[in-house]
Each structure stands twice: as C-alpha cells, then as structure tokens.
Amino acid sequence: MSSIKIHQDTIKPGENKVVSLNTYELPTKTKIEIPIHVFRSKHAGPTILLSAGMHGDEINGIEVLRKIITRKEIQNLLCGTVIAIPVMNTVSFLYQSRDLPDGRDLNRCFPGTKNGSLGGRIAYDLMKEIIPLIDVGIDFHTGGAKINNYPQLRCNFDDATSLKIAKVFSPPLIINSVYRDGTLRKEAAKKEKPILVFEGGESLRFDYQSINEGMNGCLRLLHHHKMIHDEIPPNPFVKLTKNVWVRAKLSGLFHIAKPNGAYINKDDVLGAICNPFGQVEARITSPFDGYIVGVNNQPVVNQGDALIHIGTED
Ligand SMILES: [Zn+2]
C-alpha cells in the first residue's frame, strides 16, 4: 500500500481525509471547491469511487453518500480505499439545477479539457485525479424533469465486469444501457474503469426507497470486497435487456393505473389520458410483458411526451 495523491493532497494508508478536486472561479471571483472524502485502510484492497450530484438537482444520491460517509465502518475500513464525492457539481447544487450556469450538462463534458469551460475543467480534473486511482465506481443519479425512476443500476451487459458488480450491488432492477458520448461512464470505460450508474427517484425530491437501495447496494459491494463486516442480504433483482418509453398519443391529463416497479403483461391498461372537460380520450396499454422502470409524474402531458418507461427481459 502506498500513498495516493489528489490534486495537492497526499493520503497515506490508514488515513481518512477530506481533500479538494481543484479550485474553480465564478464571475464574482468566488472560489468554489469540490470536496472529496477519502477513507483508507492500512491493508491493501480495491479502491471504490462513490459519486453523486453530477446533476445539481438530483438529491437522492447526495443523501446516499451523506449516509455512507457518516458510518463508522466506512471510517474504519478493513481494507482498501473509498473515494466519496457527495456533490460533484457544487454550483448546480447551489442553484438546484441540473445544468451548469452556462447551460452545459456536466455529464456531457467528459473527458473535458484543462482550460475549458467550468464543466470541461471539472470533467478533466475527475479524469486526471480520480479515475486512474479507482477499480470501480458507482455514480448516483435520479430521473430528471418529473420522471421518477424505480431504483435501478444501469450498465453495459456486454461488459462482464460491470454485470458482476451489478449483481453484487443487487438493486431491484439491472438495466442494459449503452455508453453515451460525453459521459463519465463512457470515458472511464475507455480506461477500463467500470462505472455503473444508479438511478432512483426524481430530481428535487427525497425517495427513501431509492436512498435505502442505493446505500444497501454500496454496503453489499464493500462487504463483497471484504472492506466492511456488515452483510446485507441481496435483493431478488431482475435483469432487463431492452427498454422502451410508452408515449402519449394525445394531449391531456395523464392518470397512471400501475405503481412504479410493477410487473405488467402485454395489453395491461397502464393509465388513461383525459381531457379537462370530462372525457376519457385514450387508454394506455403495455406493448409487452415487462417491468415499469420509470414513470412521468407530470399530470399535464402533450402528444409524444414520455409517460411510462418499460423494461423487458429479452
Ligand atoms: Zn443525473
């Protein structure tokens, strides 16, 4: 076991330390920092990244990390290292917005550039300072724009390591997800560092089921690597290879008839679209057997809007 370096700080084996990714300047000359909590055992083991707040309005993951870093067994790891970044996107968190002040989505700025925009710089620093140190990462997100995601891990099923990690984490749903350009997940995968994306709940809302599933998954992963004693029994998870959004055929008021996470059969009625004047105009039915993995919580919908996200096993 040797010391690790993050920006200007050195963290020795057996040491717990809060360090800073870098310092960034706002137009008011205000300096902002991205605090990183590092927990190191004296004994050799893997390095696990837990990150949240990539999108500043996605609070459930921030709460998962808040709970994780206050736990005694994390502060006294049996082996290895945990690098926890509770709020990756400090400025967006302050504004309670998804995007950065210049409108950029931090999770489309990877791999970033040294002298780029704020998003580009944060992405560059994460790729330079953090990704080389880690063996595996979990990045916490929630649904955006009134979408509520049932607790799920997203990973590429073609990558056997990612799938193995997902099974250890054992969230209720494991969903196949291809890499998207500009994301931390894709750029880390190029460096052979698997990062899995946890999705749970919706933006600007606490969802305690998602928070608990997120925390328990992290504890399972740490226990699997013998980093903590606590053992959490695994969930009976399902693996979903394909997912499709059921969209609104008509505009109106959308009522959902099934709970998020429910198993559904082809042609089951999932909900209805009514107009404000008393008529039920369309019933929404399921195109196939599967699970509801996310729902739109917005009551007023327009033609073509995403209503219900369904995942299937084949
Ligand atoms: Zn997100």
Side-chain angles (χ1 to χ4, degrees):
M1 286 279 279
S2 55
S3 291
I4 58 172
K5 202 164 176 278
I6 296 176
H7 190 44
Q8 291 165 343
D9 291 285
T10 303
I11 310 107
K12 295 192 215 93
E15 201 174 20
N16 296 340
K17 217 170 182 179
V18 183
V19 303
S20 180
L21 181 63
N22 203 343
T23 308
Y24 308 91
E25 194 182 271
L26 299 180
T28 47
K29 310 304 279 183
T30 308
K31 302 266 194 284
I32 58 154
E33 292 188 348
I34 298 173
I36 300 174
H37 294 247
V38 186
F39 304 93
R40 302 201 71 200
S41 164
K42 281 192 174 119
H43 305 285
T47 297
I48 295 184
L49 169 68
L50 304 174
S51 59
M54 170 88 82
H55 297 126
D57 59 350
E58 299 183 359
I59 317 300
N60 290 324
I62 296 172
E63 176 64 9
V64 170
L65 262 69
R66 186 191 73 79
K67 289 172 88 114
I68 292 273
I69 63 179
T70 53
R71 290 177 80 98
K72 284 274 178 297
E73 72 261 40
I74 308 296
Q75 294 163 1
N76 297 282
L77 290 175
L78 303 175
C79 70
T81 300
V82 169
I83 298 178
I85 315 179
V87 188
M88 271 196 287
N89 192 340
T90 318
V91 186
S92 297
F93 176 67
L94 292 173
Y95 282 102
Q96 298 190 51
S97 81
R98 177 185 177 84
D99 297 324
L100 289 155
D102 63 4
R104 284 185 172 87
D105 178 340
L106 177 57
N107 208 20
R108 296 293 178 276
C109 292
F110 287 85
T113 47
K114 191 171 191 288
N115 300 312
S117 66
L118 178 58
R121 283 171 196 241
I122 296 171
Y124 175 86
D125 289 334
L126 286 166
M127 291 307 296
K128 176 173 170 271
E129 303 283 347
I130 305 298
I131 298 306
L133 301 175
I134 69 162
D135 295 293
V136 46
I138 308 289
D139 188 27
F140 286 86
H141 289 256
T142 78
K146 306 285 195 296
I147 303 295
N148 188 313
N149 286 326
Y150 200 71
Q152 55 193 257
L153 260 188
R154 295 183 180 179
C155 69
N156 193 328
F157 285 7
D158 293 337
D159 180 43
T161 312
S162 292
L163 200 50
K164 200 176 144 202
I165 297 161
K167 287 176 180 172
V168 170
F169 195 102
S170 98
L173 306 171
I174 300 173
I175 301 181
N176 187 31
S177 173
V178 294
Y179 297 115
R180 199 182 274 187
D181 285 348
T183 59
L184 170 63
R185 188 164 74 99
K186 180 170 182 173
E187 291 305 315
K190 285 185 191 168
K191 311 257 180 222
E192 289 176 7
K193 309 283 184 166
I195 291 188
L196 285 74
V197 167
F198 180 88
E199 288 270 350
E202 75 178 81
S203 58
L204 297 175
R205 298 279 180 274
F206 272 151
D207 179 284
Y208 291 103
Q209 185 189 3
S210 295
I211 292 166
N212 285 332
E213 291 293 354
M215 188 181 69
N216 287 341
C218 291
L219 297 178
R220 286 184 199 108
L221 187 59
L222 297 178
H223 176 80
H224 173 81
H225 289 292
K226 301 184 171 55
M227 296 166 79
I228 58 171
H229 285 300
D230 279 17
E231 189 173 3
I232 313 267
N235 273 325
F237 60 84
V238 287
K239 262 174 66 193
L240 303 172
T241 46
K242 242 179 40 189
N243 50 82
V244 169
W245 275 103
V246 176
R247 291 182 179 274
K249 288 180 269 187
L250 303 164
S251 302
L253 303 173
F254 171 58
H255 291 271
I256 189 162
K258 298 275 184 190
N260 205 358
Y263 179 76
I264 44 164
N265 290 115
K266 187 175 189 296
D267 299 326
D268 276 359
V269 175
L270 303 179
I273 296 177
C274 313
N275 64 36
F277 315 108
Q279 288 93 18
V280 175
E281 294 201 296
R283 289 189 200 284
I284 311 293
T285 55
S286 178
F288 38 64
D289 299 348
Y291 290 83
I292 298 182
V293 304
V295 297
N296 175 12
N297 278 336
Q298 193 148 292
V300 183
V301 296
N302 285 291
Q303 276 182 317
D305 280 356
L307 299 180
I308 300 172
H309 200 186
I310 299 175
T312 62
E313 290 172 279
D314 43 42

